[in-house]
Amino acid sequence: QVQLVESGGGLVQSGGSLRLSCAASGSFFSINLMAWYRQAPGKERELVAKIITGGAANYADSVKGRFTISRDNAKNTVYLQMNSLKPEDTADYYCNAVVQRTYSSPRFNYWGQGTQVTVSS
């Protein structure tokens, strides 16, 4: 089984910063992609940022220039550095990983339990 454990959420004032972390544990062959999603109350879950093993990253337009995703492959951990936070960034943030459990197995999506980020105005 693969588990994703997030940390780093909390309450911050507008303009502040937070850093989210997500560590993957369990038995697996490789993690192909790691990403952060978020879901605000009453809204659909949306992609915030994603990063592949080689380090190439993509961001939602709403966070470009403010958020930075990175990963430590040796630690199977992905980070999301969030700067210049705005009230509209308030949401539950979820870690996602596309994992290959063995060399010959298909890839599966795994999700963390979510961490809450609240930005006050």
Side-chain angles (χ1 to χ4, degrees):
Q1 184 68 309
V2 178
Q3 289 186 322
L4 302 178
V5 178
E6 299 129 332
S7 60
L11 173 64
V12 65
Q13 289 188 333
S14 182
S17 298
L18 282 175
R19 189 191 194 209
L20 305 182
S21 300
C22 170
S25 63
S27 177
F28 47 84
F29 173 71
S30 67
I31 302 177
N32 306 103
L33 179 146
M34 300 189 84
W36 288 97
Y37 287 73
R38 68 185 180 187
Q39 187 167 18
K43 294 188 177 181
E44 292 187 353
R45 189 173 295 188
E46 63 174 358
L47 176 67
V48 176
K50 60 182 179 181
I51 185 168
I52 63 173
T53 306
N58 294 97
Y59 298 89
D61 288 342
S62 59
V63 306
K64 281 181 181 177
R66 300 188 298 122
F67 291 10
T68 302
I69 190 170
S70 61
R71 64 188 284 178
D72 184 331
N73 292 326
K75 295 181 179 180
N76 297 313
T77 299
V78 63
Y79 306 95
L80 186 68
Q81 178 66 43
M82 305 185 293
N83 299 327
S84 302
L85 282 161
K86 305 175 181 180
E88 50 264 43
D89 294 318
T90 295
D92 290 325
Y93 284 70
Y94 295 90
C95 176
N96 169 258
V98 177
V99 179
Q100 196 170 357
R101 296 196 63 184
T102 68
Y103 177 77
S104 58
S105 68
R107 301 171 184 177
F108 291 99
N109 259 315
Y110 290 89
W111 293 91
Q113 80 286 355
T115 185
Q116 189 172 49
V117 171
T118 303
V119 184
S120 62
S121 57

